[in-house]
Amino acid sequence: MQEPFHPMAQLFSQLGLDNRPQAIARFVDEHPLPKEISIVAAPFFNFAQCEFLRESREEDSDWCELIDQLEVMLHWKALH
């Protein structure tokens, strides 16, 4: 059985954010996240978004890999 796959655009839709490629790139550019802050506590997400991210990780949902990828992108942006 194949694991479900979600593109980054679908995660942004799930979070209620603009999911166009240029909007995703702009979001990452405008929201650097210091390494010591987890994506589930990012100050730029609202309560519902943080809950979705946290619950997805706790349940080891099929969103986890994509959430981790976004977190790496945001942490990387904070370093550069």
Side-chain angles (χ1 to χ4, degrees), residues 25-42:
R26 185 173 48 252
F27 181 90
V28 172
D29 284 343
E30 294 175 356
H31 298 90
L33 186 64
K35 189 75 170 166
E36 62 274 5
I37 301 176
S38 170
I39 194 169
V40 302

Side-chain angles (χ1 to χ4, degrees), residues 1-79:
M1 186 160 90
Q2 189 175 8
E3 298 262 338
F5 172 74
H6 301 288
M8 187 64 71
Q10 203 168 17
L11 176 60
F12 271 68
S13 290
Q14 187 71 21
L15 292 168
L17 301 171
D18 189 343
N19 69 349
R20 294 173 295 159
Q22 63 272 31
I24 293 170
R26 185 173 48 252
F27 181 90
V28 172
D29 284 343
E30 294 175 356
H31 298 90
L33 186 64
K35 189 75 170 166
E36 62 274 5
I37 301 176
S38 170
I39 194 169
V40 302
F44 44 80
F45 288 127
N46 66 35
F47 179 78
Q49 291 166 325
C50 287
E51 282 297 294
F52 168 76
L53 296 168
R54 184 186 59 75
E55 288 175 5
S56 294
R57 278 197 168 161
E58 284 178 359
E59 297 169 1
D60 196 26
S61 77
D62 56 340
W63 293 104
C64 285
E65 189 173 325
L66 208 49
I67 292 168
D68 291 346
Q69 182 182 348
L70 178 58
E71 184 172 45
V72 167
M73 292 164 62
L74 298 171
H75 286 315
W76 185 88
K77 190 60 183 178
L79 295 173

